[in-house]
């Protein structure tokens, strides 16, 4: 089947197509322009952000266009796969498709000279989807044919994205591993630039023991997931079975149903352990859902493995806001306490490792039933000045004392941004240019800053609260303060609430003007 000449899905209104690409990826941008030209000539309504001025109106327009689009075409080169903006646009599109009831926008990935596996979480979002591959200029006509076919309701015979690996690759990188050396996502275990903190030693020491509950807390991009994967690897290294889950990638339908979520939770566990999936057969509808889940986990998981087990959950706070979050977390708390029961010896072999950004006390009424206030609580914080200097040494960067002070003052020890700056400097960026262009939308931190601008546009209450903090260093709504803190945008200092770093203060003071 081919697309109708009018580009219309209904025969009347043209289908709307959103093109998502990385601004600094030249091949992606060139291909996106070719696709826009071709689709426009076929009668489609095509949106590409190239002509929009960046600012708050830009963010509003991006979100509005995404929400009303029928299709989202994503151009994914290796640089683009690490783009926070592209990830944000994909997440908004997925959320819109789930909530709209019409499954739109439909996401269509185009891999641009991409060999290997997509980094997490893009691989979880996109690997199952129909896609096409562009390697060189001569592939453009075929890509356009494939794209027209899919937009018109047809299919293309292309393998899943994860199958496009280079001949040199013998195995895919770990699910949670970001491509290196560029920063972003959880760091691979062998990353030579990973900076160990005191929390690492504590967590890794505890995980070597049995029956541990460990909670890793901290704002976004603090290194929580990097520490989590190291804890899981350490557990496997001492002979434990391991399960690693991320609630962020559970879809809206699953999060809307207590019964469906608990069943999928168990199904994911048994799949990773290589155990038979008998969840549906053994589900007793006369019992409460948490009871069913606990019985199954004890009888069909713990009783079937002789080794100790580490159950690690990333993005645990992704469940907050669901109708069953308190029941689920109360169940985990009961699993923690089950270890003390003299007749429940199998539970003594089970670890729980939870990663969370949000302060649970704001969102769990039954604090005495929360798993986040027991066991070892590891609170990650920004790098101290001496840790920044150590990271500079690990990167082999030759910075003057003045530039080191500027870096610390600008970024405040933000782990991801500090690593991003040192990566750019490693690629021969001049320190003077890095600092001079720090708040530019196309500067060294532009992709990261625009990600937050788009997210704040999506959450107007947070944008208003952030403006209040920028103006007055306070906000009356404590729940919004906790959400901004969990997002990694603000921090508390000497009784005041301030932007997390000078870079955020300078950028958002100029661009963020919410309309109340």
């Amino acid at each position: 089947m081919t697309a109708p000449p009018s580009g219309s899905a209904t025969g009347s209104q043209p289908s709307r197509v959103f093109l998502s690409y990385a601004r600094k990826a030249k091949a992606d941008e060139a291909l996106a322009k070719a696709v826009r030209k071709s689709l426009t000539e076929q009668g489609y309504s095509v949106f590409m952000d190239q002509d929009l001025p960046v600012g708050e109106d830009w963010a509003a327009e991006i979100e509005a266009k995404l929400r009303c689009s029928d299709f989202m075409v994503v151009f994914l080169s290796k640089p683009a796969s690490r783009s926070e903006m592209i990830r944000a646009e994909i997440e908004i599109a997925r959320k819109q498709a789930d909530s709209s009831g019409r499954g739109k926008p439909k996401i269509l990935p185009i891999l641009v000279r991409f060999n290997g596996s997509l980094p997490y979480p893009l691989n979880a979002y996109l690997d199952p989807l129909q896609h096409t591959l562009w390697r060189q200029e001569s592939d453009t006509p075929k890509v356009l044919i494939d794209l027209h076919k899919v937009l018109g309701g047809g299919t293309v015979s292309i393998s899943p994205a994860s199958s496009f690996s280079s001949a040199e690759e013998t195995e895919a990188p770990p699910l949670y591993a970001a491509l290196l050396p560029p920063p972003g996502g959880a760091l691979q275990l062998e990353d030579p630039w990973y900076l160990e903190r005191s929390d690492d030693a504590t967590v890794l020491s505890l995980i070597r023991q049995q029956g541990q509950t460990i909670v890793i807390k901290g704002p976004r991009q603090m290194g929580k997931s990097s520490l989590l994967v190291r804890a899981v690897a350490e557990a496997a290294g001492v002979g434990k079975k391991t399960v690693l889950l991320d609630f962020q990638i559970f879809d809206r339908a699953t999060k809307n149903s207590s019964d469906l979520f608990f069943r999928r939770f168990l199904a994911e566990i048994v799949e990773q352990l290589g155990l038979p999936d008998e969840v549906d057969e053994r589900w007793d509808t006369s019992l409460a859902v948490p009871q069913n889940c606990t019985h199954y986990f004890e009888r069909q998981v713990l009783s079937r493995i002789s080794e100790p087990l580490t159950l690690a959950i990333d993005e645990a706070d992704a469940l907050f806001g669901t109708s069953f979050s308190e029941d689920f977390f109360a169940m985990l708390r009961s699993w923690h306490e089950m270890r003390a029961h003299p007749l429940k010896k199998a539970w003594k072999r089970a670890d729980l490792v939870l990663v969370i950004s949000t302060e649970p006390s704001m969102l769990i009424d039954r604090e005495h039933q929360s798993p986040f206030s027991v066991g070892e609580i590891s609170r990650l914080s920004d790098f101290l000045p001496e840790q920044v200097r150590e990271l500079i040494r690990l990167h082999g960067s030759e910075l003057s004392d003045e530039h080191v002070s500027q870096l610390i003052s600008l970024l405040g020890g933000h782990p991801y941004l500090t690593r991003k700056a040192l990566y750019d400097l490693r690629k021969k960026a001049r320190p003077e240019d890095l600092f001079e262009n720090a708040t530019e939308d196309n500067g060294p931190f532009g992709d990261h800053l625009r990600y937050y601008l788009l997210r704040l546009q999506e959450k107007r209450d947070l944008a208003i609260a952030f403006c209040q903090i920028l103006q007055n260093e306070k906000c009356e709504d404590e729940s919004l303060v906790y959400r901004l803190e969990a997002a990694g945008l603000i921090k508390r200092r000497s009784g005041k609430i301030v932007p997390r770093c000078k870079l955020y203060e300078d950028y958002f003071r100029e661009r963020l003007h919410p309309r109340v």
Side-chain angles (χ1 to χ4, degrees), residues 450-465:
R450 287 185 291 117
Y451 166 90
Y452 273 122
L453 189 63
L454 181 59
R455 284 306 199 180
L456 288 170
Q457 174 60 43
E458 188 185 10
K459 306 289 185 182
R460 302 301 298 164
D461 54 344
L462 293 181
I464 294 170

Side-chain angles (χ1 to χ4, degrees), residues 21 45 75 91 103 118 124 141 187 212 236 238 270 286 304 310 329 334 364 394 405 414 422-423 432 457-458 474 483:
Y21 69 101
S45 174
F75 300 87
E91 288 173 346
L118 291 170
L187 304 183
Q212 299 297 312
V238 297
V270 297
S286 66
R304 292 190 175 190
T310 295
F329 292 127
S334 75
I364 297 181
L394 289 172
S405 297
H414 188 303
L422 294 176
Y423 172 71
E432 295 80 7
Q457 174 60 43
E458 188 185 10
K474 63 181 180 180
R483 289 168 63 189

Side-chain angles (χ1 to χ4, degrees), residues 18-37 46-50 73-87 89-90 108-115 118-119 122 126 132-137 140 143-144 147 179 447:
F18 184 102
L19 304 185
S20 177
Y21 69 101
R23 290 186 169 208
K24 292 187 177 181
K26 294 182 179 179
D28 304 46
E29 183 177 359
L31 182 58
K33 288 179 179 179
V35 167
R36 178 176 62 176
K37 181 176 184 296
V46 183
F47 175 80
M48 187 174 175
D49 76 345
Q50 196 169 46
V73 180
V74 186
F75 300 87
L76 287 170
S77 59
K78 282 192 175 182
S81 72
R82 305 181 192 105
S83 166
E84 291 184 81
M85 267 301 301
I86 286 182
R87 174 179 169 178
E89 290 172 352
I90 290 172
L108 308 174
I110 297 178
L111 301 185
V112 182
R113 290 176 180 160
F114 197 113
N115 289 322
L118 291 170
L122 291 190
L126 303 181
T132 190
L133 177 68
W134 185 94
R135 294 185 180 90
Q136 54 196 7
E137 293 291 342
T140 299
V143 166
L144 294 175
L147 196 54
L179 297 170
D447 185 73

